[in-house]
Amino acid sequence: MNKQELKELETDGVFMGIDTIEVKSETPTPYNNIDKTYVRKIEKRDINTNSFTYILNPDTANSNVPIYDSNTYYSVSDYMINSLELTAPIKTRIDFRFDCFNENYEKYAKLNKLLILLIANKYNLNNRYESIDPLLLKPLTVRAQNTRLEIENYNKSFASPNDIVKNRLEFRSKQLYDNRNENVKEYNEFKKWCERIQESTTPENYKSVQDNINTALYNNYLKEQQEIKCFSINEFLHEYRNSIFTSKQLSDLYKCIGYKDPEQSAKKYIKRKGIILFSLKDLIMYTDILLNSGDRFFG
């Protein structure tokens, strides 16, 4: 990837905040979920533990002004919980968001997809989704999740055209039932995400992801070669260009297909088509931008 594009992203800014929290209470709020706009209308009750869970939106409680600093966030979070009169509150879910105010979802969609796949591969987030609007053919979201962790990059400008945020990447921590250190749970969970990101952006994991994708690509190649008249390898590669991340991956795919000089074939295709590729340094530079925005949030 062009290093200048990552520098532009750093200059334009990525801003971390906490989009929503889920809070469990031993008793229901006396407000019955209707007098507070920052509470989602549905109250979740667990009859086994006789507890009540509420999803809260800090920005809404902050007069719909987005929060990008922890001092404001903690003040608003305390206000929401106290005003709802929740008892023995436990934050059971925290959604960290990384926002861009420029129209750059499609520009960085492949990079975000790669990061999501790396974390999914490392931490067994085996429910993976990618979607487009079938009428307008606009990319909408890429997501990976399991019962405890979830990552999603979505086209905020398409989903909410009037919102100042145009591109959002979210890291969601779920099932946080441990009530120890509740007052610093957000920071602790953020540090865990830092570790997950760092442990996922390694040469070994990057190779593993590329190998897994190449297996799927080769299977699709064999299938499409049988089904499509006048099958073209160039058309095939163009169709799956957003699943090819490095020249080595492309070279390995050519080798698997049976090309005599896969490295030279990969070089020629890259030069001819200008496909966007990412080195591990690109990834680390990008994740540093994300983590630095989190450091700024927590001050």
Side-chain angles (χ1 to χ4, degrees), residues 167-297:
N167 184 8
R168 175 168 288 173
L169 177 66
E170 284 198 28
F171 295 81
R172 300 162 184 153
S173 301
K174 303 182 290 185
Q175 297 188 8
L176 305 175
Y177 300 125
D178 188 346
N179 62 356
R180 293 174 296 178
N181 302 316
E182 192 70 23
N183 60 327
V184 290
K185 181 176 277 187
E186 291 88 342
Y187 179 74
N188 289 342
E189 285 303 313
F190 167 70
K191 298 307 290 184
K192 288 178 184 178
W193 276 112
C194 292
E195 293 174 4
R196 293 182 189 114
I197 290 170
Q198 291 166 348
E199 290 176 358
S200 298
T201 50
T202 64
E204 297 78 14
N205 194 47
Y206 199 4
K207 182 179 186 306
S208 176
V209 167
Q210 292 172 73
D211 289 346
N212 290 340
I213 293 174
N214 269 4
T215 298
L217 287 172
Y218 181 64
N219 290 336
N220 280 12
Y221 167 82
L222 294 176
K223 181 181 178 182
E224 293 182 23
Q225 190 182 41
Q226 293 290 325
E227 295 176 346
I228 300 174
K229 292 181 180 180
C230 301
F231 177 81
S232 165
I233 182 63
N234 285 338
E235 290 179 4
F236 175 83
L237 293 176
H238 182 73
E239 179 184 1
Y240 293 103
R241 64 193 180 279
N242 288 327
S243 294
I244 298 172
F245 298 105
T246 69
S247 59
K248 180 65 166 59
Q249 180 192 351
L250 181 56
S251 174
D252 288 346
L253 182 59
Y254 272 120
K255 182 178 180 180
C256 190
I257 291 171
Y259 276 62
K260 292 182 179 179
D261 192 348
E263 291 186 6
Q264 192 62 28
S265 297
K267 288 180 181 178
K268 287 181 178 179
Y269 182 85
I270 292 166
K271 183 177 181 180
R272 188 168 65 251
K273 297 297 184 180
I275 185 173
I276 298 173
L277 303 173
F278 306 104
S279 69
L280 194 58
K281 288 184 179 179
D282 294 333
L283 273 170
I284 293 173
M285 182 176 177
Y286 177 56
T287 57
D288 283 346
I289 293 172
L290 297 178
L291 300 186
N292 288 340
S293 71
D295 290 337
R296 289 194 301 272
F297 175 83

Side-chain angles (χ1 to χ4, degrees), residues 101-120:
F101 301 138
N102 292 339
E103 294 273 3
N104 60 17
Y105 175 83
E106 294 188 41
K107 185 175 183 179
Y108 296 104
K110 186 175 179 179
L111 181 57
N112 280 321
K113 175 181 175 179
L114 174 57
L115 178 58
I116 289 171
L117 287 174
L118 286 166
I119 297 174

